[in-house]
Amino acid sequence: MTKRGAGIAFVAISALLISVKYISAAIFGSGVSSWDKELFDAMLSYVGNTLNIFSLLSLLVGVSYIAWGEYEELKRKKETNM
């Protein structure tokens, strides 16, 4: 797998983790008869910040892998043109 492919995979994992946070909160409150914004915010607080932290870390790793792969590609093209 190339660095760009690994970067895309990490970005996809980041998106998955963010969606898991909201899905978890929705499952947690599935037995509630009526919904409102404050109730859903409370359910999100029960889920915690761990998924946010891992999602942000995964996004940063993914973007850095993509940038690293692009840098190496530019460097390789520059060397072959000399």
Side-chain angles (χ1 to χ4, degrees):
M1 180 180 273
T2 65
K3 287 181 179 60
R4 285 185 253 168
I8 294 297
F10 275 108
V11 170
I13 290 170
S14 175
L16 176 73
L17 289 174
I18 286 293
S19 64
V20 163
K21 176 183 178 182
Y22 289 99
I23 291 170
S24 297
I27 290 171
F28 180 69
S30 63
V32 177
S33 60
S34 68
W35 285 68
D36 62 352
K37 183 184 180 327
E38 291 79 25
L39 181 62
F40 192 71
D41 286 340
M43 288 183 275
L44 280 174
S45 70
Y46 288 132
V47 173
N49 291 328
T50 307
L51 291 172
N52 283 343
I53 293 167
F54 285 134
S55 176
L56 183 62
L57 269 169
S58 178
L59 181 65
L60 292 175
V61 169
V63 169
S64 63
Y65 261 104
I66 291 170
W68 186 13
E70 290 296 322
Y71 172 74
E72 284 185 349
E73 182 70 21
L74 288 172
K75 186 177 169 184
R76 185 184 62 81
K77 283 184 181 179
K78 191 175 184 180
E79 288 175 357
T80 58
N81 288 337
M82 291 184 138

